[in-house]
Amino acid sequence: MDDQNKNLILATALSFVVILVWFLVFPPEEPVAPPAGTTASQPLTDAAGSPVAAVPQSADPGSTAMATEVAPEADAPRIRVETPRLSGSISLAGGRIDDLLLTDYRETLDESSANVRLLEPVGNGLAYYALFGWAPGGGLTAADVPGTDTLWAVESGDVLTPETSVTLRWDSPTGLIFRERIAVDANYLFEITQSIENPTESARRAAPYGIIARHSLPELSKFFILHEGVVAMADGSLEEKGYGDFEDLETDPALGVPGEVKDGIKNGWIGFTDKYWMTTLIPDPGQSHKQVMLYQASAQIYQSQTIFPTIDVAPGGTVERTSRLFAGAKEWDTIRAYQNEDGIDGFIDSIDWGWFFFLTKPIFSVLHWLHGVIGNMGWSIIALTLLIKALLFPLAYKSYTSMAKMKELQPEMEKLKERAGDDRQKLQREMMELYKTEKVNPASGCLPILLQIPIFFSLYKVIFVTIELRHAPWLGWIRDLSAPDPTSIINLFGLLPFAVPNLGFFEILSLGILPILLGISMWLQQKLNPAPTDPTQQMIFAWMPWIFMFMLGSFASGLVLYWITNNAITFTQQYAIMRSHGYKPNVFGNIASGFRRKKPDAK
């Protein structure tokens, strides 16, 4: 390995170390959330102190959404929700879908752990719910249409299941009859059909809307590569806003609070996404609507809304509008099916694929396919690594061949250095002539290393954000590939009868089995070549495997498993290619030389 290759590898590795250290020393700031159990705030008031209307004050075409206020529901009746993957209830107060558990997922690996709670009623912890209502049009007031606190009656159905829908009814003082039919599939998609029946002799106007609201800041993962907050698709354009971005929104004159309104959208959806879970409002494809994001700072309420155009209801007529609500886990298979089979435009992009989406998407697709064939995510990661290395093998072969040829040229290069003396320009010129004559490209040895960087970060993104890796076991002690190796050298990997305490920042010293294997694999890979002659480079290269071992010790075990497999394959490829070119790496000799003490220079 010549000096240019060594310097590039050294610079690449040190840059990677700097990035890792930055993540550890300067983690993203954790926003401060209000105490759990905060209830809905008091209604907004105008300059005169009068309450502001919930949602649009009028449903005229130019109007926009208003901030909504939802009061605690007291003892409002509820309708049970029972599906193969969801359980919970719907409150008749506002028709709120506000109580959902994901029955396929638990909070921890413990089988007695509670199911993951997605939606929460007002007054119980961090309220999180969806509701659907109507904004009054010409001739109607807020009291004439169902709002956020309207007490609905059950017209049909007593339990919401994939086989049985429920219909809610509310009779307006004006004589209008409002209905809300709620259906749900076997996964996570609700279908809400809002209708108005007008038995009066006067035409009426109203605009349907949907709301998702979060009271107070939810518990966040606090890692900047992950997006948590609003995610929206508007006619093919994806938009993501974190919770901190809400505070930077300008106050909208129509809203009276910080907010953003997008009008005239034909295909889109909007909602809130967490690391693994999401709740999203989805108008029917082709249905024109507005998307609204707003923030009520006084009560720390975040909202996303969809508002449809005003509907005219003729005397004796009935009109309806259908939309959907996704509330569940961000499973790739499920979300892709909703996109491809149900026409939800760009829904697969609700998963946070990151800047390297052109790599993360295909990497996960292949990993998902391998998991379907193998049935174990750990072995699937190993198989994926083999495939990646196979695809990169032509480049690797060219790289290692070039490195082998460079070693053959070492005697000639030493002669050039002797002839050139201190004339660096002459040395550089003659070395380039030598490379040209022997058809050797010294930079080609670095290409596989450079390609590994985006692949590494893409795989890290996949392991970090996709729910398929959450609580996915490999073998033995690795029961969650999305979490760090749970073993620790402090108690000899469980042989000593005590649990390792929480060490805080010094948790980095509590190395597990996989990180130690990673360090050893990197160390062995270095021993394919003699140590650099430069003392500074020699010291840095000697420490590098162990620095990486500690730095990656707190990373997801699935990523560490990939890195170990990658190192093992790279070692095998490089050794075989070097042997095929007549150079036999003296691995054991290089290992032994690292333990010998250098003799002091003779004076």
Side-chain angles (χ1 to χ4, degrees), residues 25-183:
V25 178
F26 302 104
E29 294 183 5
E30 180 179 358
V32 179
T38 302
T39 59
S41 63
Q42 296 300 312
L44 294 170
T45 58
D46 58 20
S50 302
V52 173
V55 292
Q57 291 181 326
S58 74
D60 295 329
S63 67
T64 56
M66 297 298 296
T68 61
E69 292 295 334
V70 177
E73 61 184 78
D75 297 322
R78 288 185 166 271
I79 296 174
R80 285 191 299 118
V81 177
E82 294 294 341
T83 81
R85 314 195 70 186
L86 296 171
S87 68
S89 61
I90 299 172
S91 173
L92 295 186
R96 303 175 210 159
I97 303 174
D98 63 355
D99 173 27
L100 278 186
L101 296 173
L102 308 180
T103 55
D104 286 344
Y105 298 96
R106 297 190 178 276
E107 294 286 353
T108 68
L109 288 169
D110 189 344
E111 293 184 0
S112 63
S113 174
N115 290 122
V116 170
R117 172 169 290 281
L118 179 62
L119 301 183
E120 185 84 42
V122 174
N124 295 344
L126 304 177
Y128 185 18
Y129 52 87
L131 60 84
F132 299 82
W134 293 83
L140 296 177
T141 67
D144 299 328
V145 294
T148 56
D149 298 315
T150 299
L151 187 62
W152 291 78
V154 178
E155 185 172 70
S156 65
D158 53 359
V159 179
L160 178 61
T161 72
E163 294 78 29
T164 59
S165 63
V166 297
T167 301
L168 310 182
R169 172 173 172 160
W170 183 75
D171 293 345
S172 169
T174 62
L176 297 175
I177 301 172
F178 292 86
R179 289 183 176 87
E180 193 169 292
R181 178 183 174 273
I182 306 174

